[in-house]
Amino acid sequence: MKVAVVSRQLSNLIFNKGILEDLKNDVKKLQNQRQKVLENLTWESDEFKTKSGWSNKVDEVLGQWNEFLAYYEGKGTCTNFLCRYKVGKQSRKFQPVISQLLEKGDSHLSAKPAKDYEGPKSRDDTIQDVMEALKNPLIQAVGVWGLGGIGTTSIAQHIEGKAKEQNLFTAVVVLTVTEKPNVEQVQKVIADELGVHFNEENLVKRRNKLRQRIKKEQNTLIIVVDTWGELNPQEFDLEEFGVPLGNEHEGCKLLLTSANLNFIQNLKVDPKPIVFQLEVLQEEEAQILFEKMVGGVAQDPEAKSIVIEIVRSCKGSISLIYAVAKALENKGLDALIQLKENVSPTNLLSHCLENVELKLFLLLVIIRGRRFINRYNIYIDMWAGLFKNLETAEAARNKRDSLISDLKAYGLLVEREKEWIKIDDYIWHTAYSIAQHYLKASMISREWPPEELLQDFSFCNIHLVTGLMVPDRLQCPNLQYLSIRRDNSSIDVPDSFFEETKLLKVLDFVSFNCPKLPVSFVFLKDLEALSMYRCNLRDITKVGELTNLRMLGLLESNIQQLPAQIGQLQKLLFLDLRKTHLNVIPPNVLSNLTSLEELYLTKSFCNWEIEMSTNENKNASLKELTNLKHLAYIEDLYVPDPHAWPEDLCFENLRSYTIFIGDRWDQANDGDHELKTLKLKLNRTFQSEDGIKKMLKNVEVLHLDTLNGVQNVLNDMECEGFPHLQSLFIQNNAEVKCLATGSGNDPLDAFPNLESLSLNMLSNLEHICHGGALTEKYFFKLKVIKVEKCNNMGCLFSKSMIDGLPHLADLEVSQCKSIKVIVLIEGEKNPCMEFPELCSLTLQGLPALMSFCLSEGSSSTDTSPLFHEKVSCPNLETMVISKVSKLRTIWADWWYDVGNSFCKLKNVNITDCEKLTNVFPVCLSENLDNLKMLERQFEEKWFATVGKAPNDRTERETMKKYLEEYLNM
C-alpha cells in the first residue's frame, strides 16, 4: 500500500472529529448563503434559472448531509475505530462538493444585478408616469397604490434605481416600514442614509438636525415603502421624523407606495400626493411574463391554449403567476397538459406545491391569519403532526426555516427582518380555500359554524370576540391544532371545554386569565406543543400530566412558580420562560427534564440556590443543569450571585448560550443567538478548577465588569489566548492595566479571531498590549475598536500594533483625558502609515490630544497637525472630531504627499474645537470628490491658509469657493 494512501486513511481515523466540525461550519455557511441568494432572486434576473438550479443542488446535498449526520452523529468519538474511520472518510467526500457550492454561491452573491428593467409594459408605463411627476417642479408628493401581490414594492425599487441613475436628486432616502413606526428608528435610518451622526440628542433635536441636513441638499427624494399595506396615516408623521416638506423645502419630494389607499390619501402631507394606481397585469403582459419564466415549452402550439387559460385564471396576480411558472420551470409539455382539466386558482396553487411538506407548511401558515406572522408562532405549529423526523428542537427549527426559504423562492411570501413573514391577500384567500378542504381548517371569530362542520375540523383558529358565546365543550373530536385568543377580559374558557379534543397536538392559548387551568386540560394526553402567551397564570399543575409535551412556552405570561409536576415532562425539548418574572422553580424539576435541548430565561427566574447551602433548598440550583445531557442552547441565564455557580459547570457541549454572572447586568440581549456569549461581574478571584474559567476557553462574546485580581486580562485569566473569542467588552474596572503583555522577544499570540473590542471606564488601563512583538494572528481580524473614559492612557497603540491591524475599519476614542497621541511611533520620525480598511474615525472629548501619530521621544507643538503628511486612510468615509481642545489643524497645510489618501471621505463632523483654525489644505482638494456633508461651527478661519507663498490668497479663495459650491455651504 502506498504511503499517501496509508496517510490519508490514518487521517480519516485520527482527525475525523475535526473534519466533521469543519464541515458543520461549512454547511451552516451554505445554508445562510442559500437563503441570501433566494432573498435576492427575482424573475426579472437573467440568472434566474442558474441560481434556481444552484439552489436545487444545495437542497439535494443538504438532504444527503442531514441523512449522514443523523446516522453518524456521536459515532465520531466512540471507541469503535472502524466507525470513526467511516465518519472521517464520508466527511471527506462531502468537503469538495460543499466547497464548490460555496464558491458558486459567492459568485451569485457578488454578481451585480442587471440595470435594465424588463418588466411588463404596464409597469413600465407606471414607472414612466411616476418619473415624469417627480421631475415636475409643481408636484411634491406622488403615491403608487395597488392591491397586495401585484408589485408596488418592486416598483419603488425600480424608481429608486432610475432616480439615482439619472441623477435627478442629490440624495435618495428609502424608508421600508412594516408596522407602527418607531420615531427613533426611522430617524436613525434617515441619518444613516445622509451621513448624519447623533450624539445624545433627544428626538426633537434629532428631528431638527435632520431637517437642516435635508435642506442643505438641493433636492431630495424620500421613498416610503409600506410593505404590508397596514400603516395608519395618523401614526406616520414625516415632520416628526425630520423630513421638511411643503414650503419649508420645495426641493424635498416624497414617493409613497402601499397596498392601502387610505394611507396614501390621508397621510399628513401638504400638498396631497398625486396617486397612480398599479393595476393587475393585463392579460397579454401576464402571458409574456409567464412564457418568459416557463421557457421554451410555453411556445409549443399545443401549449398555447393552456397557457392562456392559466394566465387568465391567475387574474393578474404576479405572485401566483410567479409560483405557477416556477413550478413548471424546465418541465415538458406533459406538465402543462396536466393542468388542462382544471385551471382554477386553487388548483394552480396546489400544483405549484408538488412537495407535500411545502404545501402543508403554506396551509399551516395561512391558518395563523392574514397579518404578518412571527417565526416563533410557526415554530409552535411545527408540532401539529404534519411533518416527519422532528426528533429535536433544532430539526424543527431548521425544517421551518428551510420551508420558509422555499416559499420565498416561489414568491408566495415575503419576510421582514427574519422574524416576521406575510402572504399577500390574493394568495392568502386562494390558499385558505385549499386549507378548508385539504386540512379541514377554519377560522372562527364572529359566529360558530354548524355542529356537523365542527365535528369535522382538524385545524382551527378561534378569535373570541365580544358577543361570541363560548360553548361548554368544543365539539371537535378530530382537532389536531387549535389557536385560541380573546378580545375581552370577561371571556373565559369553561372547565369542560377540551373534553372532546383528545387528539389535539398543538394548543396556542393567548391572553387568558387562568388562576387554574380548565379541568379538561388533563384530556390532552397527545398534546406535543403548548404555548400560553400573555396569560395570567397561577396553578398550572395539570400541565405536568401532559407527558407527551415536547414544547412548552409561557412567554410573557404572569406566573410566580413552576409546579414540581413539570419535572414529569421527560420528553420536553423546548422550555420558554421568557418575561415571566418567575420566582420559584422547585428543586429537581429541571434535572428531571432529561430530554431538554433549549431553555429560554430572559427576564425570568434568577433565584438560583447556592449548591453548598446548609438551608433546605426552596429553589433549583445550577448543579441540576449538569444532568441535562442533551441541552444545546440557553438564552439569558442570569446568576446574580457568582457563588451559586458550581465549580464543575462549564457547558462544554452547548452549541450556544447567553449567560450573565454577577449582579445588575442589563439582560437586554443584543448579541447573536448563534454564539457563546458570557457576561462576567465577579467579586472573587478565579480558581484553577473554576467552571467559569473553563468556559472562557470556548467563549465567543465576552463582557467583563468588576474582576478581583485581574490586571492583565490574558495572563491573569489563563485562557489559552481566547482562541474562539470574536467580541470583547470590558467596563467599570479599576484593576485592569492591559489586555496582554509580552516579555522581551517573546511574541504575543492571542485573540486570533477577535473582531470587536470595547473598553469603557477602565480607570487604570495603561495599554491595550505592551512588550513583545505581535504575531500575525494576534488581533489580526480586529475590525472595531471603541475606547471610552479610560483616563490613564497616554496613547492607544504602538506602531508595531497598528501594523498588525490590517482590517481595522471603525475606531472610536472618546472621553479619555490623558491621551496625547493615538499611535506612538517607535524610532523613525513620521514614517509612512497606512490604515487600509479604516472607514470610520471618531475622536471626542480628548482634551490632551496633540496628534494622531507621534514619534517616541519627540514633542508635539501647538501647531502640529492631527495627521502628518505620510498618514494614509484610503477608505475613510466618516470622520467625527469633537471637543479636542488643543487641536489647531487637521492636516498639514503646506504639503500632503500621500496619493489617494482620504479620497473616499464623505462625512466630516467637527465641533467644539475652539483652537482649530485650519481644516482642509488646498493640496487635499483633489481628494475630496466624494465629500457630501461638512458639519462645522466656524466659518472664515476654517479655510486653509498656505504659508507665505505669493499666491496664498488666491489658493485660499479657491479652496473656499470649492467648498461653498461643492457642499452648498
Side-chain angles (χ1 to χ4, degrees):
M1 187 178 290
K2 293 182 179 180
V3 174
V5 175
V6 173
S7 175
R8 184 168 64 250
Q9 292 183 348
L10 282 174
S11 70
N12 288 337
L13 177 63
I14 298 169
F15 301 115
N16 66 85
K17 186 176 181 181
I19 297 169
L20 195 61
E21 288 303 316
D22 289 343
L23 264 180
K24 284 182 180 179
N25 292 331
D26 286 344
V27 167
K28 186 176 178 181
K29 290 177 185 176
L30 188 61
Q31 289 171 330
N32 294 334
Q33 203 178 62
R34 176 187 179 276
Q35 184 171 344
K36 290 179 181 177
V37 169
L38 291 179
E39 284 173 358
N40 298 320
L41 187 59
T42 61
W43 59 266
E44 300 103 323
S45 171
D46 292 335
E47 295 188 334
F48 177 82
K49 291 184 179 180
T50 305
K51 291 183 179 181
S52 295
W54 174 85
S55 174
N56 293 336
K57 179 64 177 175
V58 170
D59 289 340
E60 180 185 339
V61 172
L62 290 180
Q64 295 170 357
W65 165 259
N66 289 331
E67 290 178 8
F68 162 73
L69 204 60
Y71 183 75
Y72 283 109
E73 185 74 281
K75 297 183 181 180
T77 56
C78 70
T79 56
N80 186 324
F81 292 113
L82 179 60
C83 187
R84 288 171 58 187
Y85 169 76
K86 288 181 177 180
V87 172
K89 184 177 180 180
Q90 287 295 108
S91 298
R92 284 194 185 278
K93 287 184 178 180
F94 273 106
Q95 280 180 322
V97 178
I98 292 175
S99 295
Q100 288 175 9
L101 287 171
L102 282 169
E103 184 178 348
K104 189 64 177 175
D106 285 335
S107 68
H108 286 323
L109 290 172
S110 61
K112 295 182 179 179
K115 292 185 178 179
D116 296 330
Y117 174 55
E118 299 178 358
K121 185 177 184 303
S122 63
R123 300 305 188 259
D124 288 339
D125 292 342
T126 303
I127 290 174
Q128 186 61 34
D129 291 341
V130 172
M131 295 301 294
E132 291 299 322
L134 292 174
K135 292 176 185 177
N136 190 331
L138 301 178
I139 297 175
Q140 265 198 292
V142 179
V144 178
W145 167 69
L147 297 176
I150 65 173
T152 51
T153 300
S154 179
I155 289 289
Q157 292 170 347
H158 289 295
I159 290 172
E160 176 196 359
K162 282 188 172 291
K164 290 179 177 178
E165 184 181 325
Q166 298 176 16
N167 292 321
L168 294 181
F169 300 91
T170 55
V172 178
V173 177
V174 180
L175 301 175
T176 302
V177 193
T178 53
E179 56 186 338
K180 183 178 178 179
N182 177 292
V183 175
E184 186 174 356
Q185 290 177 355
V186 175
Q187 287 179 339
K188 185 180 185 305
V189 171
I190 299 173
D192 289 344
E193 292 273 2
L194 297 174
V196 175
H197 291 271
F198 295 134
N199 294 318
E200 297 179 0
E201 302 97 330
N202 58 33
L203 294 179
V204 174
K205 289 184 178 180
R206 288 183 172 208
R207 178 197 67 191
N208 294 337
K209 195 170 187 177
L210 289 175
R211 285 165 67 181
Q212 294 303 316
R213 171 66 184 89
I214 292 173
K215 284 158 71 172
K216 289 180 181 179
E217 297 287 347
Q218 183 178 349
N219 45 27
T220 302
L221 175 62
I222 308 291
I223 301 176
V224 178
V225 181
D226 176 11
T227 304
W228 302 139
E230 297 183 356
L231 289 180
N232 184 339
Q234 305 306 315
E235 296 175 347
F236 197 86
D237 191 338
L238 285 162
E239 289 192 0
E240 186 179 10
F241 300 150
V243 178
L245 296 169
N247 295 331
E248 185 177 359
H249 184 32
E250 294 181 355
C252 185
K253 296 203 173 190
L254 181 66
L255 172 63
L256 308 168
T257 68
S258 177
N260 179 4
L261 184 59
N262 175 60
F263 171 70
I264 294 175
Q265 290 183 329
N266 296 308
L267 189 66
K268 292 184 286 185
V269 293
D270 188 28
K272 292 296 180 184
I274 291 178
V275 181
F276 295 94
Q277 183 175 356
L278 192 63
E279 302 284 355
V280 294
L281 289 180
Q282 298 172 10
E283 191 170 309
E284 180 182 355
E285 57 193 14
Q287 185 171 333
I288 293 171
L289 169 60
F290 184 80
E291 290 175 351
K292 175 185 176 182
M293 293 185 65
V294 171
V297 68
Q299 308 299 326
D300 193 299
E302 292 184 53
K304 188 171 183 180
S305 61
I306 305 173
V307 168
I308 291 173
E309 288 185 62
I310 291 173
V311 169
R312 188 173 294 159
S313 183
C314 289
K315 298 180 181 178
S317 167
I318 290 180
S319 297
L320 189 53
I321 291 171
Y322 183 102
V324 175
K326 183 165 177 60
L328 293 171
E329 181 189 16
N330 297 326
K331 294 184 179 178
L333 184 61
D334 291 343
L336 266 175
I337 292 175
Q338 288 176 15
L339 291 175
K340 186 174 182 179
E341 299 302 321
N342 187 351
V343 292
S344 67
T346 53
N347 188 60
L348 289 174
L349 186 56
S350 292
H351 182 81
C352 294
L353 305 172
E354 294 175 313
N355 180 310
V356 175
E357 283 196 338
L358 195 59
K359 181 176 183 176
L360 291 172
F361 184 74
L362 174 64
L363 301 183
L364 197 58
V365 172
I366 291 295
I367 296 165
R368 268 289 171 182
R370 292 176 60 183
R371 294 178 64 83
F372 44 89
I373 302 162
N374 192 281
R375 281 176 179 257
Y376 178 79
N377 292 329
I378 300 172
Y379 178 78
I380 297 168
D381 301 347
M382 296 298 292
W383 303 100
L386 297 179
F387 307 103
K388 298 178 181 179
N389 302 320
L390 300 186
E391 299 301 324
T392 66
E394 186 177 14
R397 182 178 294 102
N398 290 342
K399 174 72 74 175
R400 175 201 64 185
D401 293 345
S402 175
L403 291 171
I404 286 175
S405 293
D406 290 341
L407 287 178
K408 283 176 62 182
Y410 276 93
L412 292 174
L413 57 79
V414 290
E415 190 175 25
R416 192 260 296 185
E417 295 177 357
K418 294 187 178 182
E419 292 302 319
W420 298 88
I421 64 169
K422 190 176 189 296
I423 296 168
D424 75 59
D425 290 343
Y426 187 81
I427 295 295
W428 188 89
H429 284 290
T430 305
Y432 182 54
S433 297
I434 299 173
Q436 287 176 302
H437 297 283
Y438 194 84
L439 287 183
K440 304 297 183 184
S442 181
M443 299 183 70
I444 300 169
S445 61
R446 304 205 172 273
E447 60 178 334
W448 292 96
E451 187 171 321
E452 58 270 22
L453 288 180
L454 276 174
Q455 296 272 345
D456 203 30
F457 287 157
S458 297
F459 292 77
C460 210
N461 185 329
I462 301 175
H463 185 188
L464 299 175
V465 298
T466 303
L468 183 68
M469 298 295 294
V470 183
D472 288 337
R473 289 178 179 81
L474 184 60
Q475 300 288 345
C476 296
N478 297 310
L479 200 63
Q480 293 176 243
Y481 168 96
L482 174 62
S483 177
I484 182 169
R485 66 191 188 281
R486 65 175 184 172
D487 266 356
N488 193 313
S489 59
S490 65
I491 300 175
D492 287 319
V493 173
D495 270 344
S496 55
F497 188 75
F498 295 105
E499 285 184 2
E500 299 296 327
T501 61
K502 297 177 183 179
L503 299 182
L504 203 61
K505 288 186 175 296
V506 171
L507 175 58
D508 185 27
F509 215 49
V510 182
S511 299
F512 282 90
N513 183 26
C514 299
K516 285 192 174 182
L517 295 177
V519 174
S520 55
F521 242 65
V522 297
F523 288 88
L524 305 179
K525 299 296 185 182
D526 288 345
L527 201 66
E528 293 193 20
L530 171 61
S531 171
M532 292 186 282
Y533 175 62
R534 288 186 176 176
C535 292
N536 185 19
L537 305 171
R538 190 176 304 162
D539 181 5
I540 61 169
T541 302
K542 293 182 179 65
V543 173
E545 299 184 41
L546 310 179
T547 53
N548 280 306
L549 269 186
R550 306 176 83 180
M551 185 274 177
L552 175 60
L554 304 177
L555 178 62
E556 294 188 32
S557 287
N558 182 17
I559 182 170
Q560 297 295 311
Q561 178 172 345
L562 276 188
Q565 288 79 359
I566 294 295
Q568 297 169 192
L569 304 178
Q570 295 194 5
K571 293 184 180 179
L572 197 68
L573 304 174
F574 179 103
L575 179 58
D576 187 354
L577 303 175
R578 286 177 296 168
K579 300 181 181 179
T580 56
H581 302 285
L582 196 63
N583 287 322
V584 177
I585 298 180
N588 302 318
V589 169
L590 294 177
S591 59
N592 283 324
L593 302 178
T594 52
S595 297
L596 194 67
E597 295 178 4
E598 299 186 7
L599 178 60
Y600 295 78
L601 292 166
T602 306
K603 295 183 180 178
S604 180
F605 179 77
C606 63
N607 299 323
W608 302 99
E609 293 280 1
I610 297 176
E611 186 183 355
M612 303 301 293
S613 173
T614 55
N615 300 323
E616 183 179 350
N617 287 353
K618 298 179 181 179
N619 260 315
S621 73
L622 289 164
K623 184 74 173 178
E624 295 186 41
L625 300 182
T626 60
N627 293 340
L628 306 181
K629 304 303 181 184
H630 299 283
L631 193 64
Y633 177 68
I634 296 178
E635 179 181 303
D636 293 359
L637 169 62
Y638 179 37
V639 187
D641 185 353
H643 293 94
W645 194 272
E647 289 183 354
D648 58 346
L649 183 61
C650 59
F651 290 130
E652 280 186 301
N653 297 321
L654 258 63
R655 182 181 71 249
S656 56
Y657 54 73
T658 48
I659 298 175
F660 308 85
I661 301 177
D663 195 17
R664 297 183 183 178
W665 273 114
D666 178 9
Q667 288 189 67
N669 183 3
D670 53 359
D672 187 336
H673 283 192
E674 297 298 318
L675 298 177
K676 297 178 179 179
T677 300
L678 177 63
K679 296 189 177 185
L680 281 181
K681 184 188 297 185
L682 299 180
N683 53 8
R684 61 177 174 83
T685 57
F686 286 97
Q687 306 296 324
S688 59
E689 72 283 357
D690 202 325
I692 298 174
K693 188 172 184 177
K694 294 175 184 176
M695 289 176 67
L696 296 175
K697 295 178 183 178
N698 294 309
V699 72
E700 293 166 315
V701 179
L702 178 62
H703 295 248
L704 300 175
D705 202 286
T706 304
L707 290 174
N708 287 353
V710 175
Q711 296 185 356
N712 182 312
V713 173
L714 181 63
N715 293 353
D716 295 342
M717 299 183 77
E718 299 178 9
C719 299
E720 299 180 5
F722 295 94
H724 302 287
L725 192 63
Q726 297 178 25
S727 299
L728 175 60
F729 305 83
I730 309 178
Q731 65 183 36
N732 305 326
N733 193 300
E735 294 192 45
V736 171
K737 292 186 176 182
C738 66
L739 269 64
T741 58
S743 57
N745 296 320
D746 293 337
L748 296 172
D749 189 359
F751 305 106
N753 288 296
L754 191 68
E755 295 184 4
S756 177
L757 173 64
S758 176
L759 308 171
N760 185 16
M761 296 187 70
L762 309 182
S763 56
N764 278 306
L765 184 69
E766 298 174 356
H767 310 280
I768 291 179
C769 60
H770 183 63
L774 301 184
T775 68
E776 184 177 320
K777 292 182 179 180
Y778 189 93
F779 280 146
F780 183 73
K781 294 183 179 180
L782 196 57
K783 296 177 181 178
V784 178
I785 299 177
K786 296 188 178 182
V787 181
E788 183 176 4
K789 297 179 181 177
C790 298
N791 292 325
N792 203 35
M793 297 185 77
C795 73
L796 198 61
F797 312 112
S798 64
K799 184 179 183 301
S800 60
M801 183 177 180
I802 282 293
D803 291 340
L805 301 177
H807 303 298
L808 183 63
D810 186 350
L811 175 61
E812 180 177 328
V813 187
S814 58
Q815 311 302 320
C816 298
K817 296 179 181 179
S818 301
I819 282 187
K820 296 181 179 180
V821 60
I822 304 299
V823 182
L824 185 63
I825 304 167
E826 308 97 331
E828 181 184 357
K829 183 178 180 181
N830 293 353
C832 290
M833 295 191 61
E834 183 177 14
F835 300 82
E837 295 187 16
L838 188 64
C839 292
S840 177
L841 173 64
T842 300
L843 304 173
Q844 294 187 117
L846 307 176
L849 185 68
M850 304 289 285
S851 182
F852 192 81
C853 307
L854 188 65
S855 296
E856 197 171 22
S858 64
S859 59
S860 178
T861 65
D862 286 346
T863 58
S864 297
L866 181 65
F867 302 109
H868 69 66
E869 67 275 14
K870 294 182 181 179
V871 173
S872 174
C873 302
N875 285 295
L876 188 67
E877 295 183 358
T878 299
M879 184 171 69
V880 178
I881 301 175
S882 176
K883 297 181 180 179
V884 184
S885 53
K886 290 190 176 183
L887 190 63
R888 290 184 177 272
T889 182
I890 307 295
W891 288 278
D893 58 8
W894 59 91
W895 182 245
Y896 207 84
D897 66 352
V898 182
N900 295 323
S901 183
F902 302 98
C903 61
K904 292 188 178 180
L905 201 58
K906 293 180 180 179
N907 308 301
V908 177
N909 185 326
I910 305 177
T911 56
D912 298 322
C913 299
E914 56 267 26
K915 293 185 178 181
L916 186 64
T917 55
N918 300 337
V919 178
F920 297 104
V922 175
C923 57
L924 197 64
S925 62
E926 294 180 359
N927 289 12
L928 299 178
D929 287 344
N930 290 303
L931 194 61
K932 290 183 177 180
M933 187 189 74
L934 172 63
E935 290 197 24
R936 77 281 185 216
Q937 290 182 329
F938 307 97
E939 294 290 344
E940 188 70 18
K941 64 181 181 179
W942 266 39
F943 299 105
T945 55
V946 196
K948 300 181 179 180
N951 59 348
D952 279 358
R953 186 174 185 83
T954 303
E955 291 188 346
R956 177 171 176 250
E957 292 302 320
T958 300
M959 187 63 174
K960 180 176 179 180
K961 184 178 180 181
Y962 166 81
L963 289 174
E964 286 176 339
E965 291 178 352
Y966 197 85
L967 298 172
N968 194 26
M969 289 174 61

